[in-house]
């Protein structure tokens, strides 16, 4: 065999061939070393490439594969690798390997445990049409469609509401924004003179509180007989089996003793803890408990930062004598007891000079305890001993890079300069890690929040056949957005439509029932001249985006609408250019609604049809159409349609057309046509009808 050195001047291909031969030899040697020459053959012909973080780690997987007659490749190659093993992959790799067999590490573990080569079907990480076809021909897979679940049709008007009422991620994200509102309300209730501003952490005593296994603890309040048992909260049914992909949102500390963790699939948890008891979500109760938690905190001080539904920071510097650690301990003990007796859940706390240390100290206190790490000396000692993965916000990839260089604990990095860490991890992360390892946190306590955007996005259960169905779905989604904007008292002027479209080679039905599978992300935005919080106006803008795209409706797997450039809606100006001054005061008060039941919408503060027509007339006679005005009229017509006041819609359109026909200005005709199209589209969607153009 040629040595690697002898081919170094040759082609890259030669080099790689030799390198692979060498690795194969190493594989074989290791195999025989491991089993005294007796090798199980269950992975014969299997050549795996293990990538990213895996559970169990790659060294363990490698050992299993080799022990069972397979081989492990250090580099990916289509010709040499039969199976890619990964727990998770970034989007670009999913696309890159869309036609390859990607299995979860569990396949290797389970084959080893069963001492037989199990079908990969249950262990495929992402399904593409290719690998599904492949498995279908081998008759190995039950197509996921056969799973029956009670999901309403995408276009049904209940879909959006039902999705959001069952989606825990939705509850988690909206609960944070609702809690921020609630906290600012409580701040003004309990501390009327307090003006919210973000607060530097210098000279602070930060307490971090976090409820122990929050969702489970709430469930146990009404099920005391389950206390002390392994319990988890999940959407699954009690008779779910080992292949359940239902995610565990919270598990009791008794379940954690078996290795069960939050975020694990129920199937995997059942393997670790067959007696685990599942209980359903109780969103309303979480909501009440979170509000009460924050009420207790804000009653004591306005310096409270909302972190999540069960977790907050507070600065107690003005509440206790901070030179006496015993007093700090007592204060936190009392606080925890008060929370426990009020909401029935135990809570843990960490105390430190900043958010970083306080949060890490909570870990130490869990469950149902507290840990103070406040003096300079104790902070240094404590942080030094912490594994890097305990640093909040420092991801796995960063830890992995550091581990490769043999850095495992925060203390291991103390000799590294900021510049060295920045070179290794990039400037932002490098600097954060540099400070965090010294127990320094330069962030403020966030007490004032400014929302940049509001989104509604659903990437589950989306299956539409036609643009009309997409339009109906978007209308429901925009109504949800309308509700949220009104709840937040904001309006916005930039609308973004976000779609997930099935990638070219992705399976029509992905592994997760009604999930989105492998998709391309598409996003397109449009400005609205006048900030709005009216869902129907947003809908018409979104539809203009849809109409400007080439879409295959049945390939859409995720739909979202975002509104940004937000402003306080109570400051919305009623600025209809150049018009208000010409409203005739004494016009006849004609009731707007002539046929259907309706409430009367306002147009720039006017409900009288005569006044409305005067404003519109004045506008139609101005030299050029202003976009602000077009939007206002479109918005008003949308509201009339929503109130089913079609007669007045028709009357206004006739009225406008008459004036514009006489004027014959092309720009104005274009504006009228686009308004007319908007109206037709909305009438079609909302009332399933169409305006009779003859009558216009
Ligand atoms: N949660 C969730 N999904 C996530 C994270 C959290 O559903 N990815 C929910 C369930 C948790 C609650 O939020 O009960 C609070 O999250 P924590 O991270 O605080 O977890 P727990 O309170 O369950 O456990 P711990 O005792 O570790 O805080
Ligand atoms: Mg918690
Ligand atoms: Mg928490």
């Amino acid at each position: 065999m040629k040595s690697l050195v002898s081919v170094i001047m040759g082609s890259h291909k030669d080099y790689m061939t030799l390198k692979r031969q060498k690795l194969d030899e190493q594989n074989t040697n290791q195999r025989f070393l491991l089993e005294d020459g007796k090798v199980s053959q269950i992975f014969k012909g299997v050549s795996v490439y293990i990538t990213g973080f895996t559970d169990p780690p790659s060294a363990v997987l490698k050992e299993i594969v080799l022990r069972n007659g397979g081989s492990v490749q250090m580099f990916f190659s289509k010709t040499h690798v039969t199976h890619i093993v990964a727990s998770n992959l970034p989007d670009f790799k999913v696309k890159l390997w869309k036609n390859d067999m990607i299995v979860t590490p569990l396949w290797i573990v389970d084959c080893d445990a069963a001492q037989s080569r199990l079908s990969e079907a249950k262990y495929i990480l992402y399904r593409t049409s290719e690998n599904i076809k492949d498995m279908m021909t081998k008759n190995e897979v039950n197509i996921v469609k056969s799973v029956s679940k009670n999901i309403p049709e995408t276009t049904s008007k209940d879909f959006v509401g039902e999705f959001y009422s069952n989606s825990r991620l939705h509850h988690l994200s909206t609960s944070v924004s609702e809690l921020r509102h609630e906290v600012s309300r409580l701040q003004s209730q309990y501390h009327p003179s307090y003006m919210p501003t973000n607060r530097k952490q210098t000279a602070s005593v930060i307490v971090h509180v976090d409820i122990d296994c929050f969702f489970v603890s709430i469930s146990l309040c009404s099920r005391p007989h389950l206390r002390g048992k392994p319990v988890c909260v999940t959407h699954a049914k009690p008779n779910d089996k080992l292949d359940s992909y239902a995610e565990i949102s919270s598990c009791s500390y008794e379940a954690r003793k078996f290795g069960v963790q939050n975020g694990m699939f129920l199937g995997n948890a059942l393997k670790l803890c067959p007696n685990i008891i599942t209980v359903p979500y109780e969103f309303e109760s979480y909501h009440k408990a979170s509000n009460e938690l924050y009420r207790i905190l804000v009653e004591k001080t306005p310096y409270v930062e909302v972190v999540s539904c069960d977790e907050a920071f507070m600065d107690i510097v003005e509440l206790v004598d901070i030179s006496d650690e015993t007093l700090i301990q007592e204060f936190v003990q009392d606080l925890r007891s008060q929370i426990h007796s009020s909401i029935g859940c135990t809570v843990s706390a960490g105390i430190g000079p900043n958010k970083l240390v306080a949060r890490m100290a909570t870990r130490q206190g869990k469950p149902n305890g507290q840990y103070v790490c406040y003096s300079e000396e104790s902070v240094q000692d404590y942080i030094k001993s912490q594994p890097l993965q305990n640093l909040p916000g420092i991801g796995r990839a960063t830890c992995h890079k550091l581990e490769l260089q043999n850095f495992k604990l925060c203390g291991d990095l103390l000799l590294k300069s900021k510049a060295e860490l920045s070179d290794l991890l990039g400037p932002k992360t490098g600097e954060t890690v540099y400070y965090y390892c010294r127990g320094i946190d330069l962030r403020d306590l966030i007490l004032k929040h400014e929302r940049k955007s509001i989104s509604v996005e659903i990437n589950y259960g989306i299956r539409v056949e036609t643009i009309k169905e997409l339009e109906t779905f978007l209308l429901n989604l925009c109504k949800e957005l309308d509700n949220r904007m009104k709840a937040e008292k904001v309006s916005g002027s930039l609308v973004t439509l976000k779609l997930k479209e099935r990638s070219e080679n992705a399976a029509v039905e992905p592994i997760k029932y009604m999930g989105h599978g492998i998709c391309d992300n598409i996003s397109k935005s449009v400005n609205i001249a006048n900030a709005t919080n009216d869902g129907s106006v947003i809908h018409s803008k979104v539809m203009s985006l849809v109409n400007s795209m080439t879409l295959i409706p049945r390939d859409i797997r995720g739909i979202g609408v975002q509104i940004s450039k937000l402003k306080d809606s109570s400051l919305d100006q009623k600025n209809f250019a150049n018009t208000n001054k010409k409203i005739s005061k004494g016009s006849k008060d004609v009731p707007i609604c002539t046929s259907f039941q309706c409430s009367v919408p306002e147009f720039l503060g006017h409900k009288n049809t005569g006044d409305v027509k005067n404003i519109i007339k004045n506008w139609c006679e101005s030299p050029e159409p202003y976009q602000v005005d077009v939007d206002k009229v479109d918005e008003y017509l949308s509201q009339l349609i929503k109130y089913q006041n079609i007669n007045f819609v028709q009357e206004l359109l006739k009225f406008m057309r008459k004036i514009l026909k006489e004027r014959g200005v092309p720009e104005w005709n274009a504006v009228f046509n686009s308004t007319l199209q908007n109206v037709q589209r909305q009438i079609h969607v909302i009332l399933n009808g169409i305006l009779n153009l003859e009558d216009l």
Side-chain angles (χ1 to χ4, degrees), residues 210-214 310-311 366:
D210 187 304
I211 298 175
D212 301 320
C213 51
F214 179 37
D310 80 331
E311 185 178 348
K366 270 194 175 284

Side-chain angles (χ1 to χ4, degrees), residues 285-327:
S285 309
Y286 310 146
H287 182 72
K288 280 192 193 139
S290 303
N291 278 359
E292 179 58 9
L293 167 74
Y294 279 97
R295 195 200 60 73
I296 293 170
L297 302 182
V298 179
E299 192 182 22
K300 304 205 171 340
T301 173
Y303 307 134
V304 172
E305 176 177 330
V306 176
V307 180
S308 76
C309 56
D310 80 331
E311 185 178 348
F313 290 113
M314 68 194 289
D315 188 348
I316 58 165
V317 73
E318 290 173 12
L319 302 178
V320 282
D321 174 0
I322 61 167
S323 61
D324 189 338
E325 205 172 293
T326 319
L327 290 180

